Amino acid sequence: MVLKESDPALEDGDPAPEFELPAVDGETYTLDSFADCDALLIVFTCNHCPYAKAKFEHLNELAGSYDDAAVVGINPNDAEEYPDDSFESMVEYVEDGEIAYDAYLRDESQDVAEAYGAVCTPDPFLFAKEDGEFRLAYQGRLDDAMDPDAEATEFYVQQAIESILSGEPVTVEWRHSQGCSIKWRD
């Protein structure tokens, strides 16, 4: 397992890069699929990384807690080298109830992960809807648990979502995401 911190290509206020990706529910999703939301949390994640797995429950809770915010998981990992990250495995995780995000998408080409500057799993990007466009409001750790076995006491993304939904500026300090490196294809 390689531990890597994120170094995103996006800065505060940048628009969310467009995407069109297949989901485990058989649908294809784009940014417009979430147009009714005030906040959009895109998390580059996977099925096998212990850091990503440790956040499944928290992300499921976030997805179920807010009507005006969407939680979208995007799995960009090389599934040939890491079969646990295959589309079929993604479907199983959702069918088993282990993952219950608003959408779980597959970035087979890895182009979307590159466009966002994602480097690890999990790597969260939170966007606020401003004048009909999603703009980056927070990028960084989900919480203060630095180890998969640690229990979080501060929930940075949740605080940022609540700021967005209440119409307040996001004042949460950006902290580099931490997790396993994205498994890039050669």
Side-chain angles (χ1 to χ4, degrees):
M1 171 180 57
V2 175
L3 186 64
K4 190 163 184 171
E5 290 188 343
S6 68
D7 186 21
L10 303 176
E11 295 182 10
D12 190 16
D14 282 352
E18 294 290 337
F19 60 81
E20 184 173 338
L21 295 172
V24 299
D25 64 5
E27 301 292 322
T28 298
Y29 287 81
T30 66
L31 282 176
D32 287 339
S33 303
F34 308 100
D36 292 342
C37 297
D38 294 325
L40 174 62
L41 176 60
I42 294 176
V43 182
F44 291 89
T45 189
C46 68
N47 299 334
H48 85 275
C49 165
Y51 288 85
K53 291 174 99 163
K55 303 305 178 188
F56 287 172
E57 185 177 334
H58 180 53
L59 290 170
N60 292 343
E61 288 172 5
L62 289 174
S65 295
Y66 302 102
D67 292 334
D68 296 329
V71 175
V72 177
I74 298 179
N75 182 346
N77 275 357
D78 177 356
E80 283 187 32
E81 290 293 320
Y82 295 86
D84 284 350
D85 288 330
S86 70
F87 189 81
E88 295 76 23
S89 290
M90 292 169 61
V91 170
E92 289 175 19
Y93 273 75
V94 170
E95 287 177 349
D96 292 346
E98 209 165 337
I99 291 177
Y101 312 149
D102 294 296
Y104 194 21
L105 314 179
R106 180 77 180 128
D107 181 14
E108 184 72 32
S109 70
Q110 301 182 321
D111 292 342
V112 177
E114 269 190 45
Y116 280 74
V119 297
C120 63
T121 57
D123 203 353
F125 295 77
L126 178 62
F127 297 88
K129 185 75 144 307
E130 294 177 15
D131 299 323
E133 187 172 38
F134 286 113
R135 296 199 165 271
L136 189 62
Y138 173 80
Q139 195 283 318
R141 290 185 200 129
L142 288 161
D143 55 41
D144 65 345
M146 297 293 288
D147 179 286
D149 297 324
E151 193 166 322
T153 59
E154 268 193 273
F155 299 92
Y156 309 130
V157 167
Q158 183 175 355
Q159 294 167 10
I161 289 171
E162 290 176 1
S163 293
I164 291 168
L165 297 181
S166 66
E168 300 293 323
V170 174
T171 58
V172 176
E173 178 186 342
W174 292 27
R175 295 165 177 88
H176 288 291
S177 300
Q178 183 173 318
C180 300
S181 63
I182 289 178
K183 308 311 180 212
W184 300 103
R185 289 191 319 275
D186 292 330

